[in-house]
Amino acid sequence: MAIDYYIPTFRVEQGRDLVKVCQKCFLDVLRISKFRVQRLCRKELMTGVSPQELWGGDHRSKHSELKLTEVKKFIESLHTVESHYCRGKSKRQYLPSHLSIQHLCNAYNEKVNDDEGLKVKYEYFRNVFVENYNVGFVSPATDQCSKCLELKERIKCTSISEVERSTLKTELAIHKKRAETFFALLKEEKENELTYSFDCQKNFIFPKLTDQSAYFLRQFYVYNFTMCLGTSKACQTRENTFIYGWSELEAKKGSSEIATCIVHRLSNTTFPEQVDTIRLFADRAGGQNKNTIVITAVLNWLTVEAPPHIGKIVMHFPVPGHSYIQPDH
């Protein structure tokens, strides 16, 4: 085996950037022994691959690759859910609130075999969990869309065929597309349109006392109905947010009360001259928003009290389960 020695040069002569030198010059420049050079050349001749440098570098991570793989496999096997009230582009997943990183780390160490050296410390598990996954801990939402939950669980079922799973995925995509259309309409801003969104909020229980015995006594509700002026892009201020409150001692929370609040708000709104259409957005609650009493009351206001330039009122109702609008903010 004959060995030729070359060193790089800054001067390129006849298309070559290497200069042939003798063995002594090559070894003196690199400060290495001739036995090392001969050993490397012999290995490359026998294997056809240049040997890799083993000095320095990160050698610990290679030994912990199996450990890292097992930790990631354990985290990815957890059953996570999406938040019902979140931004459309959010990819964050959630685990039940009774869990924590410490609980997950303990569960992982109990699952793996200690003889294989796969158990990890809490700091190691936490770094993998935080740096590689966008997962939080939260209580499960109680008002998620029933249709979305049904389709997602049926898709996860292993007993169905691929054709049926594909059909369910298509149905879920169409369902979400219909929900997105409602929010796309809520974002639209036109000079000739004025937008209102309204909804009933959570009931307040009175009296709110710290006495334990008072908790089991008779309590009454205070209702909260909120209307917001503007599209979903508008900032909510005191000028465009209107709240109506009353207790169950004064009236119920039915369609008549909701219609009264809507008509009162429309009657006390100053409409610009260029506005000829009013858009109303609300959920599909049949006993409060989507019923003939509300529609008749709005129609009566349009024909009797509305300014002459207001010619049309359009009511939009979302897909059930996808009704997080401005009053809910």
Side-chain angles (χ1 to χ4, degrees):
M1 180 178 63
I3 304 175
D4 293 334
Y5 301 93
Y6 296 87
I7 60 174
T9 178
F10 289 106
R11 294 183 297 177
V12 180
E13 298 178 359
Q14 298 179 357
R16 299 178 60 186
D17 57 352
L18 297 176
V19 176
K20 188 175 181 178
V21 297
C22 65
Q23 184 190 63
K24 186 177 185 306
C25 178
F26 184 84
L27 299 178
D28 290 344
V29 169
L30 297 182
R31 297 277 184 174
I32 57 177
S33 66
K34 65 177 181 180
F35 303 105
R36 183 182 181 189
V37 176
Q38 292 174 355
R39 183 171 63 254
L40 295 177
C41 294
R42 188 181 301 110
K43 288 185 177 180
E44 184 174 4
L45 180 64
M46 296 173 61
T47 61
V49 181
S50 179
Q52 299 222 352
E53 178 64 61
L54 300 179
W55 286 28
D58 182 14
H59 297 284
R60 298 182 60 184
S61 61
K62 294 183 179 179
H63 298 290
S64 61
E65 284 183 359
L66 179 60
K67 184 185 298 183
L68 178 62
T69 303
E70 291 298 323
V71 172
K72 288 185 176 181
K73 188 184 300 184
F74 172 79
I75 297 175
E76 292 171 1
S77 66
L78 300 174
H79 181 66
T80 59
V81 296
E82 297 179 356
S83 176
H84 177 55
Y85 290 148
C86 66
R87 298 180 179 180
K89 297 182 180 180
S90 175
K91 302 298 181 181
R92 188 168 179 81
Q93 302 290 317
Y94 293 91
L95 291 169
S97 58
H98 67 274
L99 296 177
S100 65
I101 299 180
Q102 183 67 60
H103 285 87
L104 298 179
C105 181
N106 296 338
Y108 168 79
N109 288 330
E110 293 176 359
K111 180 181 179 181
V112 300
N113 189 359
D114 192 20
D115 298 336
E116 299 178 359
L118 297 178
K119 289 192 174 183
V120 298
K121 295 182 178 180
Y122 169 76
E123 291 76 12
Y124 181 88
F125 188 92
R126 185 182 185 280
N127 289 336
V128 176
F129 185 87
V130 173
E131 295 178 1
N132 297 276
Y133 300 94
N134 188 14
V135 180
F137 301 92
V138 70
S139 300
T142 58
D143 55 351
Q144 296 187 65
C145 176
S146 302
K147 188 69 173 180
C148 291
L149 289 176
E150 176 190 354
L151 293 175
K152 288 180 180 179
E153 294 303 322
R154 291 175 62 185
I155 291 173
K156 295 178 183 178
C157 184
T158 58
S159 60
I160 63 175
S161 62
E162 291 298 327
V163 178
E164 187 176 357
R165 182 175 285 105
S166 177
T167 303
L168 292 174
K169 289 182 179 180
T170 303
E171 185 178 353
L172 179 61
I174 296 175
H175 175 75
K176 289 185 176 181
K177 192 64 178 179
R178 292 179 58 198
E180 293 173 359
T181 303
F182 172 81
F183 293 104
L185 290 172
L186 188 56
K187 292 180 181 179
E188 290 183 355
E189 294 182 358
K190 296 182 180 179
E191 294 184 356
N192 65 322
E193 293 181 348
L194 189 142
T195 302
Y196 266 114
S197 56
F198 57 89
D199 193 14
C200 289
Q201 303 306 302
K202 184 177 181 180
N203 298 331
F204 298 103
I205 301 178
F206 278 79
K208 187 175 179 61
L209 303 175
T210 57
D211 186 5
Q212 183 179 6
S213 60
Y215 177 80
F216 300 97
L217 299 178
R218 175 81 176 181
Q219 296 174 312
F220 66 95
Y221 286 111
V222 173
Y223 303 126
N224 173 17
F225 176 76
T226 303
M227 291 190 67
C228 294
L229 174 63
T231 64
S232 59
K233 297 180 180 180
C235 296
Q236 291 180 251
T237 64
R238 294 183 178 181
E239 286 72 26
N240 61 3
T241 305
F242 310 95
I243 298 177
Y244 296 84
W246 66 96
S247 71
E248 65 176 344
L249 304 179
E250 299 169 326
K252 298 181 180 180
K253 190 177 68 171
S255 55
S256 298
E257 289 74 20
I258 302 303
T260 302
C261 297
I262 296 174
V263 171
H264 178 270
R265 184 67 259 148
L266 294 176
S267 301
N268 288 271
T269 301
T270 302
F271 298 95
E273 292 293 334
Q274 69 272 16
V275 174
D276 58 7
T277 302
I278 300 175
R279 300 192 306 164
L280 300 178
F281 289 81
D283 60 19
R284 290 173 173 264
Q288 298 170 355
N289 304 329
K290 190 179 181 182
N291 51 71
T292 56
I293 295 179
V294 172
I295 295 177
T296 303
V298 173
L299 180 60
N300 178 74
W301 176 87
L302 179 63
T303 56
V304 177
E305 301 182 33
H309 56 86
I310 302 294
K312 182 170 59 174
I313 294 181
V314 183
M315 300 188 70
H316 296 277
F317 300 100
V319 175
H322 299 270
S323 59
Y324 189 61
I325 53 180
Q326 294 302 100
D328 300 319
H329 291 184

